[in-house]
mmCIF file of all heavy atoms in Angstrom:
data_model
loop_
_atom_site.group_PDB
_atom_site.id
_atom_site.type_symbol
_atom_site.label_atom_id
_atom_site.label_comp_id
_atom_site.label_asym_id
_atom_site.label_seq_id
_atom_site.Cartn_x
_atom_site.Cartn_y
_atom_site.Cartn_z
ATOM 1 N N VAL A 1 -4.904 -7.816 6.314
ATOM 2 C CA VAL A 1 -4.349 -7.067 7.438
ATOM 3 C C VAL A 1 -3.777 -8.096 8.397
ATOM 4 O O VAL A 1 -4.514 -8.906 8.951
ATOM 5 C CB VAL A 1 -5.427 -6.225 8.148
ATOM 6 C CG1 VAL A 1 -4.837 -5.523 9.372
ATOM 7 C CG2 VAL A 1 -6.050 -5.225 7.192
ATOM 8 N N PHE A 2 -2.450 -8.089 8.583
ATOM 9 C CA PHE A 2 -1.799 -9.023 9.488
ATOM 10 C C PHE A 2 -1.552 -8.344 10.824
ATOM 11 O O PHE A 2 -1.147 -7.174 10.882
ATOM 12 C CB PHE A 2 -0.480 -9.531 8.894
ATOM 13 C CG PHE A 2 -0.687 -10.330 7.638
ATOM 14 C CD1 PHE A 2 -0.485 -9.754 6.395
ATOM 15 C CD2 PHE A 2 -1.112 -11.641 7.700
ATOM 16 C CE1 PHE A 2 -0.684 -10.476 5.239
ATOM 17 C CE2 PHE A 2 -1.330 -12.377 6.540
ATOM 18 C CZ PHE A 2 -1.108 -11.793 5.309
ATOM 19 N N CYS A 3 -1.804 -9.082 11.902
ATOM 20 C CA CYS A 3 -1.605 -8.567 13.251
ATOM 21 C C CYS A 3 -1.552 -9.749 14.214
ATOM 22 O O CYS A 3 -1.740 -10.897 13.809
ATOM 23 C CB CYS A 3 -2.711 -7.593 13.641
ATOM 24 S SG CYS A 3 -4.375 -8.300 13.564
ATOM 25 N N SER A 4 -1.320 -9.464 15.491
ATOM 26 C CA SER A 4 -1.321 -10.528 16.495
ATOM 27 C C SER A 4 -2.767 -10.949 16.778
ATOM 28 O O SER A 4 -3.712 -10.200 16.493
ATOM 29 C CB SER A 4 -0.663 -10.034 17.782
ATOM 30 O OG SER A 4 -1.517 -9.103 18.436
ATOM 31 N N PRO A 5 -2.974 -12.139 17.347
ATOM 32 C CA PRO A 5 -4.344 -12.569 17.676
ATOM 33 C C PRO A 5 -5.063 -11.606 18.624
ATOM 34 O O PRO A 5 -6.249 -11.325 18.439
ATOM 35 C CB PRO A 5 -4.136 -13.941 18.323
ATOM 36 C CG PRO A 5 -2.885 -14.458 17.694
ATOM 37 C CD PRO A 5 -2.005 -13.232 17.546
ATOM 38 N N ASP A 6 -4.352 -11.072 19.622
ATOM 39 C CA ASP A 6 -5.009 -10.152 20.552
ATOM 40 C C ASP A 6 -5.341 -8.821 19.891
ATOM 41 O O ASP A 6 -6.371 -8.214 20.182
ATOM 42 C CB ASP A 6 -4.158 -9.946 21.798
ATOM 43 C CG ASP A 6 -4.187 -11.173 22.704
ATOM 44 O OD1 ASP A 6 -5.113 -11.991 22.589
ATOM 45 O OD2 ASP A 6 -3.267 -11.309 23.527
ATOM 46 N N THR A 7 -4.485 -8.360 18.994
ATOM 47 C CA THR A 7 -4.797 -7.147 18.248
ATOM 48 C C THR A 7 -6.004 -7.402 17.346
ATOM 49 O O THR A 7 -6.886 -6.550 17.221
ATOM 50 C CB THR A 7 -3.579 -6.671 17.429
ATOM 51 O OG1 THR A 7 -2.551 -6.276 18.340
ATOM 52 C CG2 THR A 7 -3.924 -5.502 16.525
ATOM 53 N N ALA A 8 -6.071 -8.578 16.740
ATOM 54 C CA ALA A 8 -7.214 -8.926 15.880
ATOM 55 C C ALA A 8 -8.515 -8.894 16.679
ATOM 56 O O ALA A 8 -9.522 -8.338 16.210
ATOM 57 C CB ALA A 8 -7.000 -10.297 15.246
ATOM 58 N N SER A 9 -8.507 -9.462 17.882
ATOM 59 C CA SER A 9 -9.712 -9.466 18.716
ATOM 60 C C SER A 9 -10.132 -8.051 19.083
ATOM 61 O O SER A 9 -11.312 -7.689 18.971
ATOM 62 C CB SER A 9 -9.470 -10.270 19.997
ATOM 63 O OG SER A 9 -9.256 -11.617 19.697
ATOM 64 N N ALA A 10 -9.159 -7.241 19.523
ATOM 65 C CA ALA A 10 -9.471 -5.853 19.886
ATOM 66 C C ALA A 10 -9.947 -5.068 18.676
ATOM 67 O O ALA A 10 -10.885 -4.270 18.760
ATOM 68 C CB ALA A 10 -8.235 -5.189 20.499
ATOM 69 N N LEU A 11 -9.333 -5.318 17.527
ATOM 70 C CA LEU A 11 -9.706 -4.613 16.305
ATOM 71 C C LEU A 11 -11.122 -4.979 15.865
ATOM 72 O O LEU A 11 -11.896 -4.112 15.463
ATOM 73 C CB LEU A 11 -8.693 -4.923 15.208
ATOM 74 C CG LEU A 11 -8.825 -4.159 13.909
ATOM 75 C CD1 LEU A 11 -8.739 -2.659 14.144
ATOM 76 C CD2 LEU A 11 -7.747 -4.604 12.931
ATOM 77 N N GLN A 12 -11.452 -6.263 15.950
ATOM 78 C CA GLN A 12 -12.811 -6.690 15.580
ATOM 79 C C GLN A 12 -13.844 -5.944 16.438
ATOM 80 O O GLN A 12 -14.832 -5.426 15.922
ATOM 81 C CB GLN A 12 -12.979 -8.204 15.773
ATOM 82 C CG GLN A 12 -12.122 -9.055 14.881
ATOM 83 C CD GLN A 12 -12.670 -9.191 13.461
ATOM 84 O OE1 GLN A 12 -13.689 -8.633 13.099
ATOM 85 N NE2 GLN A 12 -11.959 -9.943 12.644
ATOM 86 N N LEU A 13 -13.610 -5.874 17.751
ATOM 87 C CA LEU A 13 -14.525 -5.157 18.638
ATOM 88 C C LEU A 13 -14.577 -3.676 18.294
ATOM 89 O O LEU A 13 -15.643 -3.077 18.214
ATOM 90 C CB LEU A 13 -14.100 -5.334 20.099
ATOM 91 C CG LEU A 13 -14.271 -6.723 20.687
ATOM 92 C CD1 LEU A 13 -13.616 -6.799 22.062
ATOM 93 C CD2 LEU A 13 -15.746 -7.092 20.771
ATOM 94 N N SER A 14 -13.412 -3.085 18.078
ATOM 95 C CA SER A 14 -13.351 -1.648 17.777
ATOM 96 C C SER A 14 -14.034 -1.315 16.466
ATOM 97 O O SER A 14 -14.762 -0.331 16.379
ATOM 98 C CB SER A 14 -11.895 -1.178 17.719
ATOM 99 O OG SER A 14 -11.293 -1.318 18.970
ATOM 100 N N LEU A 15 -13.799 -2.117 15.444
ATOM 101 C CA LEU A 15 -14.404 -1.835 14.137
ATOM 102 C C LEU A 15 -15.919 -1.978 14.184
ATOM 103 O O LEU A 15 -16.640 -1.185 13.569
ATOM 104 C CB LEU A 15 -13.816 -2.735 13.057
ATOM 105 C CG LEU A 15 -12.374 -2.428 12.669
ATOM 106 C CD1 LEU A 15 -11.850 -3.487 11.707
ATOM 107 C CD2 LEU A 15 -12.253 -1.041 12.056
ATOM 108 N N ASN A 16 -16.402 -2.964 14.913
ATOM 109 C CA ASN A 16 -17.853 -3.130 15.018
ATOM 110 C C ASN A 16 -18.477 -1.922 15.694
ATOM 111 O O ASN A 16 -19.541 -1.461 15.305
ATOM 112 C CB ASN A 16 -18.193 -4.405 15.783
ATOM 113 C CG ASN A 16 -17.916 -5.647 14.966
ATOM 114 O OD1 ASN A 16 -17.846 -5.584 13.740
ATOM 115 N ND2 ASN A 16 -17.724 -6.762 15.643
ATOM 116 N N ASP A 17 -17.811 -1.379 16.700
ATOM 117 C CA ASP A 17 -18.311 -0.211 17.408
ATOM 118 C C ASP A 17 -17.966 1.079 16.663
ATOM 119 O O ASP A 17 -18.790 1.963 16.539
ATOM 120 C CB ASP A 17 -17.719 -0.172 18.818
ATOM 121 C CG ASP A 17 -18.213 1.032 19.603
ATOM 122 O OD1 ASP A 17 -19.434 1.219 19.677
ATOM 123 O OD2 ASP A 17 -17.365 1.792 20.104
ATOM 124 N N SER A 18 -16.762 1.169 16.146
ATOM 125 C CA SER A 18 -16.273 2.418 15.565
ATOM 126 C C SER A 18 -17.019 2.839 14.313
ATOM 127 O O SER A 18 -17.187 4.019 14.072
ATOM 128 C CB SER A 18 -14.786 2.284 15.224
ATOM 129 O OG SER A 18 -14.049 2.078 16.395
ATOM 130 N N SER A 19 -17.458 1.892 13.511
ATOM 131 C CA SER A 19 -18.101 2.278 12.250
ATOM 132 C C SER A 19 -19.375 3.066 12.494
ATOM 133 O O SER A 19 -19.772 3.854 11.658
ATOM 134 C CB SER A 19 -18.380 1.044 11.397
ATOM 135 O OG SER A 19 -19.270 0.189 12.070
ATOM 136 N N THR A 20 -19.988 2.869 13.656
ATOM 137 C CA THR A 20 -21.190 3.643 13.942
ATOM 138 C C THR A 20 -20.960 4.763 14.936
ATOM 139 O O THR A 20 -21.633 5.773 14.891
ATOM 140 C CB THR A 20 -22.308 2.725 14.492
ATOM 141 O OG1 THR A 20 -21.806 2.061 15.662
ATOM 142 C CG2 THR A 20 -22.747 1.717 13.468
ATOM 143 N N ASN A 21 -19.975 4.616 15.829
ATOM 144 C CA ASN A 21 -19.830 5.577 16.915
ATOM 145 C C ASN A 21 -18.610 6.485 16.832
ATOM 146 O O ASN A 21 -18.567 7.504 17.495
ATOM 147 C CB ASN A 21 -19.793 4.846 18.266
ATOM 148 C CG ASN A 21 -21.084 4.101 18.519
ATOM 149 O OD1 ASN A 21 -22.152 4.572 18.152
ATOM 150 N ND2 ASN A 21 -20.999 2.952 19.142
ATOM 151 N N GLN A 22 -17.584 6.127 16.064
ATOM 152 C CA GLN A 22 -16.369 6.928 16.080
ATOM 153 C C GLN A 22 -16.059 7.589 14.737
ATOM 154 O O GLN A 22 -14.995 8.154 14.559
ATOM 155 C CB GLN A 22 -15.177 6.072 16.501
ATOM 156 C CG GLN A 22 -15.254 5.640 17.946
ATOM 157 C CD GLN A 22 -13.986 4.941 18.373
ATOM 158 O OE1 GLN A 22 -12.918 5.153 17.788
ATOM 159 N NE2 GLN A 22 -14.072 4.099 19.371
ATOM 160 N N ASN A 23 -16.952 7.524 13.793
ATOM 161 C CA ASN A 23 -16.763 8.184 12.499
ATOM 162 C C ASN A 23 -15.422 7.848 11.847
ATOM 163 O O ASN A 23 -14.633 8.724 11.518
ATOM 164 C CB ASN A 23 -16.901 9.702 12.639
ATOM 165 C CG ASN A 23 -18.277 10.094 13.095
ATOM 166 O OD1 ASN A 23 -19.257 9.512 12.649
ATOM 167 N ND2 ASN A 23 -18.351 11.040 13.998
ATOM 168 N N LEU A 24 -15.148 6.569 11.669
ATOM 169 C CA LEU A 24 -13.932 6.158 10.987
ATOM 170 C C LEU A 24 -13.926 6.706 9.568
ATOM 171 O O LEU A 24 -14.968 6.951 8.978
ATOM 172 C CB LEU A 24 -13.830 4.635 10.923
ATOM 173 C CG LEU A 24 -13.573 3.923 12.237
ATOM 174 C CD1 LEU A 24 -13.523 2.427 12.009
ATOM 175 C CD2 LEU A 24 -12.281 4.394 12.865
ATOM 176 N N THR A 25 -12.735 6.869 9.013
ATOM 177 C CA THR A 25 -12.594 7.347 7.648
ATOM 178 C C THR A 25 -13.094 6.275 6.690
ATOM 179 O O THR A 25 -12.532 5.193 6.630
ATOM 180 C CB THR A 25 -11.112 7.665 7.351
ATOM 181 O OG1 THR A 25 -10.637 8.530 8.376
ATOM 182 C CG2 THR A 25 -10.959 8.331 6.011
ATOM 183 N N ASN A 26 -14.143 6.538 5.958
ATOM 184 C CA ASN A 26 -14.731 5.599 5.003
ATOM 185 C C ASN A 26 -14.843 4.173 5.553
ATOM 186 O O ASN A 26 -14.188 3.265 5.080
ATOM 187 C CB ASN A 26 -13.897 5.555 3.714
ATOM 188 C CG ASN A 26 -13.849 6.891 3.039
ATOM 189 O OD1 ASN A 26 -14.812 7.644 3.080
ATOM 190 N ND2 ASN A 26 -12.736 7.195 2.419
ATOM 191 N N PRO A 27 -15.665 3.967 6.600
ATOM 192 C CA PRO A 27 -15.771 2.615 7.152
ATOM 193 C C PRO A 27 -16.199 1.618 6.076
ATOM 194 O O PRO A 27 -16.978 1.941 5.189
ATOM 195 C CB PRO A 27 -16.817 2.742 8.249
ATOM 196 C CG PRO A 27 -17.476 4.048 8.052
ATOM 197 C CD PRO A 27 -16.588 4.901 7.215
ATOM 198 N N ASP A 28 -15.671 0.424 6.150
ATOM 199 C CA ASP A 28 -15.928 -0.607 5.154
ATOM 200 C C ASP A 28 -16.227 -1.900 5.898
ATOM 201 O O ASP A 28 -15.397 -2.372 6.674
ATOM 202 C CB ASP A 28 -14.688 -0.760 4.266
ATOM 203 C CG ASP A 28 -14.826 -1.829 3.203
ATOM 204 O OD1 ASP A 28 -15.748 -2.670 3.294
ATOM 205 O OD2 ASP A 28 -13.994 -1.841 2.295
ATOM 206 N N SER A 29 -17.380 -2.466 5.670
ATOM 207 C CA SER A 29 -17.781 -3.667 6.410
ATOM 208 C C SER A 29 -16.938 -4.890 6.063
ATOM 209 O O SER A 29 -16.979 -5.889 6.761
ATOM 210 C CB SER A 29 -19.261 -3.969 6.159
ATOM 211 O OG SER A 29 -19.468 -4.213 4.773
ATOM 212 N N SER A 30 -16.135 -4.842 5.006
ATOM 213 C CA SER A 30 -15.312 -5.994 4.645
ATOM 214 C C SER A 30 -13.987 -6.044 5.406
ATOM 215 O O SER A 30 -13.288 -7.047 5.368
ATOM 216 C CB SER A 30 -15.019 -6.005 3.144
ATOM 217 O OG SER A 30 -14.094 -4.987 2.806
ATOM 218 N N VAL A 31 -13.634 -4.978 6.111
ATOM 219 C CA VAL A 31 -12.345 -4.945 6.815
ATOM 220 C C VAL A 31 -12.215 -6.104 7.800
ATOM 221 O O VAL A 31 -11.207 -6.819 7.779
ATOM 222 C CB VAL A 31 -12.099 -3.581 7.499
ATOM 223 C CG1 VAL A 31 -10.865 -3.633 8.384
ATOM 224 C CG2 VAL A 31 -11.957 -2.490 6.451
ATOM 225 N N PRO A 32 -13.190 -6.365 8.685
ATOM 226 C CA PRO A 32 -13.006 -7.467 9.641
ATOM 227 C C PRO A 32 -12.722 -8.822 8.984
ATOM 228 O O PRO A 32 -11.944 -9.615 9.515
ATOM 229 C CB PRO A 32 -14.323 -7.494 10.419
ATOM 230 C CG PRO A 32 -14.809 -6.087 10.342
ATOM 231 C CD PRO A 32 -14.427 -5.621 8.957
ATOM 232 N N SER A 33 -13.286 -9.080 7.816
ATOM 233 C CA SER A 33 -13.061 -10.375 7.165
ATOM 234 C C SER A 33 -11.657 -10.501 6.572
ATOM 235 O O SER A 33 -11.226 -11.593 6.216
ATOM 236 C CB SER A 33 -14.104 -10.608 6.073
ATOM 237 O OG SER A 33 -13.916 -9.685 5.009
ATOM 238 N N ARG A 34 -10.957 -9.403 6.470
ATOM 239 C CA ARG A 34 -9.607 -9.431 5.889
ATOM 240 C C ARG A 34 -8.500 -9.451 6.945
ATOM 241 O O ARG A 34 -7.327 -9.448 6.619
ATOM 242 C CB ARG A 34 -9.407 -8.235 4.976
ATOM 243 C CG ARG A 34 -10.361 -8.253 3.798
ATOM 244 C CD ARG A 34 -9.918 -7.276 2.778
ATOM 245 N NE ARG A 34 -11.018 -6.815 1.958
ATOM 246 C CZ ARG A 34 -10.912 -5.827 1.104
ATOM 247 N NH1 ARG A 34 -9.781 -5.189 0.953
ATOM 248 N NH2 ARG A 34 -11.945 -5.451 0.391
ATOM 249 N N ILE A 35 -8.875 -9.462 8.212
ATOM 250 C CA ILE A 35 -7.894 -9.493 9.295
ATOM 251 C C ILE A 35 -7.395 -10.921 9.466
ATOM 252 O O ILE A 35 -8.188 -11.855 9.599
ATOM 253 C CB ILE A 35 -8.514 -8.974 10.604
ATOM 254 C CG1 ILE A 35 -8.933 -7.519 10.434
ATOM 255 C CG2 ILE A 35 -7.550 -9.143 11.773
ATOM 256 C CD1 ILE A 35 -9.811 -6.999 11.546
ATOM 257 N N GLU A 36 -6.077 -11.090 9.451
ATOM 258 C CA GLU A 36 -5.483 -12.419 9.622
ATOM 259 C C GLU A 36 -4.470 -12.381 10.767
ATOM 260 O O GLU A 36 -3.368 -11.841 10.615
ATOM 261 C CB GLU A 36 -4.790 -12.879 8.340
ATOM 262 C CG GLU A 36 -4.274 -14.296 8.447
ATOM 263 C CD GLU A 36 -3.750 -14.837 7.126
ATOM 264 O OE1 GLU A 36 -4.273 -14.467 6.063
ATOM 265 O OE2 GLU A 36 -2.802 -15.635 7.190
ATOM 266 N N PRO A 37 -4.851 -12.936 11.925
ATOM 267 C CA PRO A 37 -3.906 -12.962 13.039
ATOM 268 C C PRO A 37 -2.804 -13.997 12.804
ATOM 269 O O PRO A 37 -3.071 -15.094 12.309
ATOM 270 C CB PRO A 37 -4.771 -13.356 14.235
ATOM 271 C CG PRO A 37 -5.998 -13.960 13.674
ATOM 272 C CD PRO A 37 -6.152 -13.475 12.267
ATOM 273 N N ILE A 38 -1.567 -13.628 13.136
ATOM 274 C CA ILE A 38 -0.451 -14.565 13.013
ATOM 275 C C ILE A 38 0.418 -14.485 14.268
ATOM 276 O O ILE A 38 0.459 -13.464 14.946
ATOM 277 C CB ILE A 38 0.403 -14.329 11.752
ATOM 278 C CG1 ILE A 38 1.083 -12.960 11.765
ATOM 279 C CG2 ILE A 38 -0.440 -14.473 10.491
ATOM 280 C CD1 ILE A 38 2.090 -12.760 10.643
ATOM 281 N N THR A 39 1.111 -15.589 14.552
ATOM 282 C CA THR A 39 1.980 -15.644 15.726
ATOM 283 C C THR A 39 3.427 -15.972 15.370
ATOM 284 O O THR A 39 4.296 -15.940 16.229
ATOM 285 C CB THR A 39 1.472 -16.703 16.725
ATOM 286 O OG1 THR A 39 1.427 -17.965 16.066
ATOM 287 C CG2 THR A 39 0.097 -16.340 17.254
ATOM 288 N N SER A 40 3.670 -16.309 14.114
ATOM 289 C CA SER A 40 5.031 -16.659 13.697
ATOM 290 C C SER A 40 5.233 -16.252 12.240
ATOM 291 O O SER A 40 4.378 -15.598 11.651
ATOM 292 C CB SER A 40 5.273 -18.158 13.885
ATOM 293 O OG SER A 40 4.361 -18.894 13.095
ATOM 294 N N ASP A 41 6.340 -16.690 11.656
ATOM 295 C CA ASP A 41 6.678 -16.316 10.279
ATOM 296 C C ASP A 41 5.515 -16.547 9.320
ATOM 297 O O ASP A 41 4.806 -17.546 9.427
ATOM 298 C CB ASP A 41 7.858 -17.143 9.768
ATOM 299 C CG ASP A 41 9.135 -16.890 10.544
ATOM 300 O OD1 ASP A 41 9.139 -16.045 11.446
ATOM 301 O OD2 ASP A 41 10.130 -17.553 10.229
ATOM 302 N N LYS A 42 5.363 -15.626 8.380
ATOM 303 C CA LYS A 42 4.333 -15.745 7.351
ATOM 304 C C LYS A 42 4.932 -15.290 6.030
ATOM 305 O O LYS A 42 5.429 -14.169 5.903
ATOM 306 C CB LYS A 42 3.135 -14.861 7.715
ATOM 307 C CG LYS A 42 2.077 -14.738 6.649
ATOM 308 C CD LYS A 42 1.191 -15.935 6.615
ATOM 309 C CE LYS A 42 0.072 -15.740 5.610
ATOM 310 N NZ LYS A 42 -0.742 -16.904 5.464
ATOM 311 N N ASP A 43 4.912 -16.164 5.030
ATOM 312 C CA ASP A 43 5.379 -15.800 3.694
ATOM 313 C C ASP A 43 4.285 -15.022 2.982
ATOM 314 O O ASP A 43 3.169 -15.511 2.820
ATOM 315 C CB ASP A 43 5.731 -17.048 2.874
ATOM 316 C CG ASP A 43 6.948 -17.772 3.411
ATOM 317 O OD1 ASP A 43 7.809 -17.114 4.024
ATOM 318 O OD2 ASP A 43 7.038 -19.002 3.227
ATOM 319 N N ILE A 44 4.619 -13.808 2.566
ATOM 320 C CA ILE A 44 3.686 -12.991 1.785
ATOM 321 C C ILE A 44 3.895 -13.289 0.303
ATOM 322 O O ILE A 44 2.953 -13.429 -0.454
ATOM 323 C CB ILE A 44 3.889 -11.490 2.072
ATOM 324 C CG1 ILE A 44 3.767 -11.193 3.564
ATOM 325 C CG2 ILE A 44 2.921 -10.638 1.267
ATOM 326 C CD1 ILE A 44 2.411 -11.512 4.154
ATOM 327 N N PHE A 45 5.150 -13.356 -0.095
ATOM 328 C CA PHE A 45 5.570 -13.797 -1.421
ATOM 329 C C PHE A 45 6.728 -14.755 -1.201
ATOM 330 O O PHE A 45 7.228 -14.878 -0.086
ATOM 331 C CB PHE A 45 6.037 -12.613 -2.282
ATOM 332 C CG PHE A 45 4.991 -11.573 -2.513
ATOM 333 C CD1 PHE A 45 5.093 -10.315 -1.918
ATOM 334 C CD2 PHE A 45 3.909 -11.820 -3.332
ATOM 335 C CE1 PHE A 45 4.124 -9.345 -2.132
ATOM 336 C CE2 PHE A 45 2.944 -10.856 -3.555
ATOM 337 C CZ PHE A 45 3.050 -9.619 -2.952
ATOM 338 N N ASP A 46 7.215 -15.402 -2.243
ATOM 339 C CA ASP A 46 8.352 -16.307 -2.059
ATOM 340 C C ASP A 46 9.628 -15.564 -1.696
ATOM 341 O O ASP A 46 10.584 -16.151 -1.224
ATOM 342 C CB ASP A 46 8.561 -17.212 -3.273
ATOM 343 C CG ASP A 46 8.828 -16.438 -4.557
ATOM 344 O OD1 ASP A 46 8.750 -15.190 -4.541
ATOM 345 O OD2 ASP A 46 9.118 -17.080 -5.575
ATOM 346 N N TYR A 47 9.649 -14.258 -1.869
ATOM 347 C CA TYR A 47 10.823 -13.456 -1.538
ATOM 348 C C TYR A 47 10.613 -12.543 -0.329
ATOM 349 O O TYR A 47 11.491 -11.755 0.021
ATOM 350 C CB TYR A 47 11.244 -12.597 -2.743
ATOM 351 C CG TYR A 47 10.145 -11.669 -3.225
ATOM 352 C CD1 TYR A 47 9.981 -10.412 -2.674
ATOM 353 C CD2 TYR A 47 9.273 -12.076 -4.242
ATOM 354 C CE1 TYR A 47 8.972 -9.565 -3.096
ATOM 355 C CE2 TYR A 47 8.271 -11.234 -4.680
ATOM 356 C CZ TYR A 47 8.117 -9.985 -4.109
ATOM 357 O OH TYR A 47 7.114 -9.160 -4.530
ATOM 358 N N LEU A 48 9.452 -12.634 0.361
ATOM 359 C CA LEU A 48 9.165 -11.738 1.473
ATOM 360 C C LEU A 48 8.448 -12.476 2.592
ATOM 361 O O LEU A 48 7.406 -13.092 2.367
ATOM 362 C CB LEU A 48 8.303 -10.563 0.995
ATOM 363 C CG LEU A 48 8.136 -9.443 2.014
ATOM 364 C CD1 LEU A 48 8.283 -8.095 1.331
ATOM 365 C CD2 LEU A 48 6.812 -9.541 2.720
#
């Protein structure tokens, strides 16, 4: 999951709280570890 650093911080807080308090759709504890904040170009593939 790519996002800005500030979105990553807010998301980490929200996911930690939301999985118990906001009934997220199929909460998954691995989501926070897959968040990658970026601030500039990022190659996903050599063509993208």
Side-chain angles (χ1 to χ4, degrees):
V1 176
F2 296 100
C3 58
S4 72
D6 287 340
T7 294
S9 295
L11 187 58
Q12 295 281 1
L13 291 171
S14 296
L15 289 173
N16 287 339
D17 180 53
S18 297
S19 62
T20 57
N21 298 324
Q22 292 187 24
N23 297 320
L24 290 179
T25 308
N26 299 326
D28 179 345
S29 61
S30 72
V31 172
S33 67
R34 297 194 205 171
I35 297 168
E36 185 172 327
I38 63 172
T39 58
S40 61
D41 296 357
K42 172 79 176 175
D43 292 332
I44 304 298
F45 300 110
D46 60 354
Y47 58 87
L48 190 137

